[in-house]
Amino acid sequence: MRALQYTTIGRAPEVVEIEKPVPGPGEVLLKVTAAGVCHSDDYVMSLSEEDYREQKYPLPLTLGHEGAGVIAEFGPGVETGLRIGEAVAVYGPWGCGHCLNCSKGWENYCTNAAAEGIRPPGLGSQGAIAEYMIVDDVRHLVPIGDLDPVANVSLTDAGLTPYHAIKRSLPKLGAGTYAVVIGSGGLGHVGIQMLKALSGATVIVLDVSDEKLELATHVGADVTLISDESAAASIREITNGLGADAVFDFVGAAPTIATATAVAAIDSDVTIVGIGGGSAAVGFGTIAYDAAVRIPYWGSRSELIEVFELAKAGKVDVEVQRYPLDEAPRAYEDLHASAIRGRAVIVP
Ligand code: NAD
Ligand code: ZN
Ligand code: ZN
């Protein structure tokens, strides 16, 4: 079968021909129908050889941690109500399944995964950008029914991650409040829709590109601003000097985190989702009183089901740029060049 693999550190990923995998005990083989391209893959491929090895990523690594498919085969011993041919999406942040966090469905915060070597597909295990993929356990499959896999596969990360980030701040986002979204890319443009669907907040969006701000307006942003040193003052003005009740930074670079903390209102949440290498300098006098800084990772299994419910209700709609599997390397070039409107999705 064909797969998009990262084969050489520092080189672009390539489409290669590999053996079709065979599901082992407890595993499930999916025939992939769609796989999303995330900026985190770009981050993984930007790691130095030393950092890559330290993260224990294999080489070659099949990319793709947003996956959807139909069930092709069950490995030995799989007992499930799901059937061959059923359309499913893959819950990506695989955990051990038996620690306290996993028992709550928070496998993204599994306390055993690192020690047991359990890695998400595409981020340590072999990923979804291939004709077939292995899923380690049926509990990591969410049936998607009639939802179009290509249009919705990205909800497994570009939907789940902002949903998890936003849901915890909803008590602070009643009518008359303000939410700031920094970065209207794959995650950000879905996050904007979730804020509009679930909160009463006025949504202010920052990006460095006019095209991305146009996308933000298209998906419901109330106010858009170019992300520069003057953005914080503009946000203070828009919020009558009070600042924003919640800030979601989908970039996480030093300048965006500086903006995020500068515009935080008293008792607000500053949520840094992007892994852009920045850090927050918080201390007495540098951020509003009782502002909380959070660094979330992905989301829980139950939250993924909730995200698909939002999609079924027509409340979130991912802007998708499709690429055939043979052209998957071009999707990463376009992502790197910031030339994707919404999310790139590979269709094998
Ligand atoms: P993306 O490339 O699709 O979107 C990034 C957006 O940020 C683009 O629209 C870009 O124009 C904009 N941007 C860049 N610099 C900016 C700046 N200084 N100010 C404002 N906007 C700026 O990326 P994505 O796939 O949506 O991922 C976003 C980030 O989230 C990445 O860092 C990714 O690695 C990270 N991520 C984190 C998690 C998590 O669990 N914490 C999960 C998925 C992705
Ligand atoms: Zn991702
Ligand atoms: Zn666990």
Side-chain angles (χ1 to χ4, degrees), residues 103-219:
S103 301
K104 294 183 203 167
W106 301 356
E107 297 202 27
N108 50 324
Y109 297 141
C110 175
T111 50
N112 292 327
E116 293 187 15
I118 301 166
R119 318 296 303 275
L123 295 169
S125 297
Q126 300 301 338
I129 306 181
E131 290 179 82
Y132 291 88
M133 75 178 288
I134 295 284
V135 176
D136 69 337
D137 195 292
V138 279
R139 76 173 185 280
H140 297 141
L141 301 177
V142 176
I144 58 168
D146 294 337
L147 283 178
D148 174 6
V150 177
N152 292 286
V153 65
S154 298
L155 293 175
T156 58
D157 177 20
L160 178 56
T161 302
Y163 185 77
H164 172 76
I166 289 164
K167 193 178 172 186
R168 290 199 168 180
S169 294
L170 286 179
K172 296 185 178 177
L173 292 176
T177 60
Y178 292 89
V180 170
V181 169
I182 306 179
S184 180
L187 274 65
H189 92 286
V190 182
I192 294 164
Q193 298 176 57
M194 290 170 166
L195 284 164
K196 292 304 293 180
L198 301 172
S199 86
T202 295
V203 179
I204 303 169
V205 180
L206 274 55
D207 205 294
V208 287
S209 117
D210 285 326
E211 290 81 37
K212 301 298 172 80
L213 291 180
E214 186 276 316
L215 171 61
T217 303
H218 176 73
V219 298

Side-chain angles (χ1 to χ4, degrees), residues 182-183 248-258 271-280:
I182 306 179
F248 303 95
D249 182 353
F250 294 108
V251 180
T256 58
I257 295 179
T271 303
I272 300 165
V273 179
I275 51 177
S279 57

Side-chain angles (χ1 to χ4, degrees), residues 1-4 15 30-36 63 66-70 127-133 149-150 153 322-328 345-348:
M1 67 166 192
R2 285 165 306 138
L4 181 75
V15 178
L30 296 190
K31 184 170 192 336
V32 176
T33 48
L63 295 171
E66 293 181 343
V70 293
I129 306 181
E131 290 179 82
Y132 291 88
M133 75 178 288
V150 177
V153 65
R322 297 171 182 236
Y323 297 76
L325 180 51
D326 289 334
E327 288 174 31
V345 172
I346 312 298
V347 185

Side-chain angles (χ1 to χ4, degrees), residues 38 40 65 157:
C38 178
S40 298
H65 54 273
D157 177 20

